[in-house]
Amino acid sequence: MKTEIISVDKNVDEKESYEQAVEIIRNGEVVAFPTETVYGLGADATNWEAVNKIFEAKGRPADNPLIVHVDSKETALTYVQEVSAKALQCMDAFWPGALTLIMQAKPETFAGNVTANLETVGVRVPNHPVALKLLQELKLPLAAPSANTSGKPSPTLAEHVYHDMDGKIPLILDGGPTEIGIESTVLDTTCEPPVILRPGKVSKQELENVIGTVRLSSDNKNNTPKSPGMKYMHYAPAAPLYLIENEEGLIEKAIEYVRGKGKRVAVISKEEYPEADFNFPLSMATLYASLRKCDSTDADLILASVETGGKMDEALMNRLEKAADHKWFS
């Protein structure tokens, strides 16, 4: 399969580009497209065979559910039932935007491999002109996880998608770099109080300002998860990644130790370390790009500098812990 990339100007209505993407999806194939969080790998959420091509392209475990993208609150409400008042408040406050809501799916609405055969489904309205235009033209719900090989860093550029998906999907819509850089917050609204299953750009405090008390979930390691990002190792670069506290002198000592063993070390941090072989920036917007840049080096080990004591953004810390598989340098 040849993978084509089409650049779509965010400010121009390139009708032919969308028509091609719409035709491909309606014919049961997969198209990568940009959202404000990361690039997604989209297929018709009502078509089991089409959705299965997402799992094949990513090498994704079948019990890991997919998030469904739609073009509006009104469209979302046609696919779900028993919607709570708090879910409706969240839709009004945060959609379009980086918040996925877990709700009860209407029976026989989505393909079983979208929901991992659960009765619930995660739905969001993306806040990106290319994604919204595609959804409006398509008039179908799009199952769309991040457009990367499963377990690897999510793509924030079309070239990241091409690196992982070349020859596996027919089309990538290139809408430039994503704005946020990490996946959406996932909030389970089928329980009381609602539970954050995956932290993201929309914070616990922002949610509580709208709907009151919200709980944080611990990762589900044993049962079928309701949300992506709960069960498996994610976002991992090729070289081993270790978390390290950003304390005075500690990172320098770690670099000296690793290099003393004849190994090359990359550091992901808000600060640069001249002692390291490679330095890459650390922020919510740059994390995945930095992890991918590490893969382009010959680093034997990666150190990620973290602030402890609750000083670090919760969503960023969540992604770092997943990428490191909770390993700390010691």
Side-chain angles (χ1 to χ4, degrees):
M1 179 186 296
K2 182 181 178 182
T3 300
E4 182 181 1
I5 301 178
I6 297 178
S7 294
V8 184
D9 192 311
K10 294 181 181 180
N11 301 308
V12 177
D13 181 8
E14 299 185 23
K15 187 175 181 181
E16 289 186 6
S17 300
Y18 291 103
E19 286 179 347
Q20 182 177 350
V22 167
E23 182 179 3
I24 289 171
I25 294 170
R26 286 181 177 168
N27 286 334
E29 295 295 335
V30 178
V31 170
F33 64 97
T35 77
E36 78 280 26
T37 57
V38 297
Y39 273 76
L41 203 57
D44 176 359
T46 68
N47 183 329
W48 192 95
E49 290 80 7
V51 171
N52 193 53
K53 292 176 182 178
I54 293 177
F55 286 90
E56 290 176 349
K58 286 177 63 68
R60 183 184 178 97
D63 68 344
N64 205 2
L66 305 179
I67 289 170
V68 174
H69 294 63
V70 296
D71 64 0
S72 67
K73 168 188 175 181
E74 291 72 26
T75 300
L77 292 174
T78 66
Y79 299 126
V80 293
Q81 60 185 5
E82 301 175 24
V83 180
S84 69
K86 290 184 178 180
L88 293 171
Q89 287 176 293
C90 285
M91 292 178 192
D92 291 334
F94 300 106
W95 282 3
L99 177 66
T100 295
L101 300 176
I102 303 293
M103 297 174 282
Q104 292 288 336
K106 286 185 177 177
E108 301 180 7
T109 298
F110 300 109
N113 49 358
V114 171
T115 62
N117 293 314
L118 296 172
E119 294 180 354
T120 55
V121 64
V123 182
R124 87 175 183 103
V125 179
N127 189 18
H128 192 288
V130 174
L132 286 173
K133 178 66 174 176
L134 177 62
L135 287 161
Q136 288 160 2
E137 294 292 323
L138 183 62
K139 296 179 174 60
L140 286 170
L142 266 184
S146 55
N148 58 289
T149 300
S150 189
K152 294 301 179 183
S154 299
T156 56
L157 294 170
E159 65 189 63
H160 297 161
V161 182
Y162 188 80
H163 178 273
D164 286 14
M165 294 294 148
D166 182 25
K168 298 179 181 179
I169 64 173
L171 181 65
I172 300 169
L173 292 179
D174 182 357
T178 61
E179 179 184 350
I180 294 174
I182 65 168
E183 299 82 359
S184 61
T185 303
V186 178
L187 182 70
D188 186 354
T189 66
T190 66
C191 53
E192 181 56 41
V195 177
I196 295 175
L197 302 182
R198 180 180 72 187
K201 177 67 173 177
V202 178
S203 69
K204 181 175 185 285
Q205 184 61 59
E206 288 174 311
L207 289 167
E208 290 188 328
N209 288 343
V210 174
I211 60 172
T213 302
V214 171
R215 291 190 295 117
L216 292 172
S217 172
S218 58
D219 288 356
N220 184 335
K221 300 292 185 184
N222 301 311
N223 302 315
T224 301
K226 286 185 176 182
S227 164
M230 293 185 68
K231 188 172 182 180
Y232 299 96
M233 185 176 175
H234 284 69
Y235 326 120
L241 173 69
Y242 292 87
L243 307 180
I244 185 168
E245 291 184 25
N246 185 18
E247 293 184 358
E248 185 176 356
L250 188 59
I251 295 176
E252 289 89 345
K253 290 178 182 177
I255 294 169
E256 181 182 2
Y257 175 81
V258 174
R259 297 198 70 201
K261 297 286 186 179
K263 304 291 186 180
R264 292 171 69 78
V265 59
V267 176
I268 302 177
S269 175
K270 294 179 180 179
E271 306 166 17
E272 286 204 5
Y273 291 87
E275 306 90 343
D277 296 285
F278 310 97
N279 281 275
F280 300 107
L282 176 60
S283 69
M284 192 180 295
T286 63
L287 173 62
Y288 292 146
S290 290
L291 291 174
R292 285 180 175 268
K293 286 175 182 176
C294 287
D295 282 348
S296 68
T297 73
D298 60 353
D300 298 295
L301 182 145
I302 305 164
L303 297 173
S305 169
V306 300
E307 304 284 346
T308 56
K311 297 178 183 177
M312 198 161 197
D313 180 271
E314 185 177 296
L316 182 58
M317 189 64 188
N318 171 269
R319 302 315 192 272
L320 283 170
E321 287 178 331
K322 293 281 188 180
D325 198 22
H326 301 273
K327 299 190 301 292
W328 286 80
F329 189 87
S330 59

